[in-house]
Amino acid sequence: MPSNKPFILEVRANEYTMRGGNLNVPWTPDEIVADAVACAEAGAAIYHFHARMPDGKPDHRLQTYQYIVRRIKEQSNILVHPTLGAIALAGTAQERLANVEALCADPATKPHFAPLDMGSTNADVRDPESGRFITEDKVYTNTTKTLKHFATRIPQLGLKPYVMSWSVIYTRQIEAFMAMGLIDEPVYLAFNLAEGHSMAGHPGTIRGLTSLLDFLPQGRRIEWTACVHGGSLVPLIGAICQLGGHASIGLGDHPYIEIGSQPSNADVITWAGEFVRMCGRAPATPNQAKELLNIS
Ligand code: ZN
């Protein structure tokens, strides 16, 4: 087991999370930029964000993404991973990739990663307390044709795909794409575990994670990371360290008030970095992450 391999800490800065659990979820472009710079100083190698309106609603405008990526790159060498930023649950493959294509037209706004969610699922929001569904018709659709477009286009743009598996079925699709030469090694593979309001992934438990790892394609160079959408990564991070993985963590998934009062993303990264060091690994610098993932 590569126990001393640098540990990539990726920030899951905000998703579309509101501020009921933690007031420090960054929303405005300047909040996101300041958050990314602080997270880099705290030891994060990659910063994943969604542009948001001042009231927290999704902001899909290209100019907002251009502003954020440009300002982060001016102030930090942290690797940048925006969401596709177009229509999350609909749109053609070309429409969904349009913002990323435009960001790549200028080196100053070119990110390092684009997401590749390797399957489809019901993505309804459920109230964990009452057990009732708040939405009943949200399907996150990624047809094989769409995924082939993304998998081809993302490397052509000079970006690393952030290949996401929400279940074993997604992992099988990843393996099939690797066999077809559509996903190159080393793969950066993110396991999207799900808790709380989301049932779209495996549970955010050791068993939920290891049942995904059981189906990791063998004999392939894969650097895997894990997040818990709607839940805490705290109970898993020791196991992830030992099993040779990396972590994607932040206020977008969970308020993390168990590690401090209203922590910022940088506080969460500082906590995770200290934990990882106690487990015998060290947080990867952005350059070490580039080396592990073969990003030029
Ligand atoms: Zn996201």
Side-chain angles (χ1 to χ4, degrees), residues 25-236:
V25 179
W27 282 353
T28 68
D30 287 328
E31 285 170 356
I32 291 170
V33 172
D35 191 65
V37 173
C39 286
E41 284 165 5
I46 306 173
Y47 190 82
H48 170 65
F49 71 94
H50 294 231
R52 308 278 294 265
M53 295 289 192
D55 62 358
K57 289 205 178 82
D59 181 349
H60 298 308
R61 292 173 300 179
L62 172 62
Q63 72 253 37
T64 312
Y65 281 89
Q66 286 170 322
Y67 177 89
I68 293 170
V69 178
R70 183 188 304 274
R71 296 296 300 275
I72 293 174
K73 289 182 76 169
E74 281 169 0
Q75 296 177 55
S76 166
N77 67 345
I78 195 165
L79 307 180
V80 183
H81 172 201
T83 187
L84 287 187
I87 312 140
L89 299 173
T92 66
Q94 285 76 11
E95 283 165 353
R96 291 171 60 195
L97 213 53
N99 269 3
V100 169
E101 297 256 3
L103 288 173
C104 290
D106 179 352
T109 60
K110 183 175 170 179
H112 300 88
F113 298 90
L116 186 56
D117 283 322
M118 288 298 293
S120 304
T121 189
N122 285 5
D124 287 305
V125 178
R126 181 172 168 266
D127 177 0
E129 277 167 29
S130 70
R132 292 209 177 97
F133 282 100
I134 296 163
T135 66
E136 296 186 334
D137 58 359
K138 281 192 191 300
V139 179
Y140 184 35
T141 305
N142 290 294
T143 64
T144 300
K145 189 177 175 187
T146 296
L147 294 176
K148 280 176 80 175
H149 177 72
F150 288 174
T152 306
R153 216 35 216 142
I154 290 169
Q156 278 174 356
L157 292 165
L159 307 185
K160 184 81 181 172
Y162 180 81
V163 181
M164 211 168 213
S165 171
W166 297 24
S167 72
V168 174
I169 298 165
Y170 285 54
T171 306
R172 296 186 72 184
Q173 184 95 333
I174 293 165
E175 194 164 16
F177 270 51
M178 291 180 76
M180 288 192 291
L182 289 169
I183 294 177
D184 290 334
E185 299 171 58
V187 182
Y188 188 35
L189 195 169
F191 291 124
N192 184 68
L193 308 170
E195 285 289 337
H197 66 272
S198 173
M199 298 176 68
H202 285 219
T205 60
I206 302 264
R207 201 165 159 217
L209 174 65
T210 54
S211 58
L212 283 161
L213 288 172
D214 284 346
F215 289 85
L216 201 62
Q218 295 300 300
R220 298 287 197 174
R221 282 190 299 151
I222 294 174
E223 295 296 335
W224 62 268
T225 183
C227 68
V228 183
H229 184 57
S232 175
L233 204 65
V234 168
L236 295 182

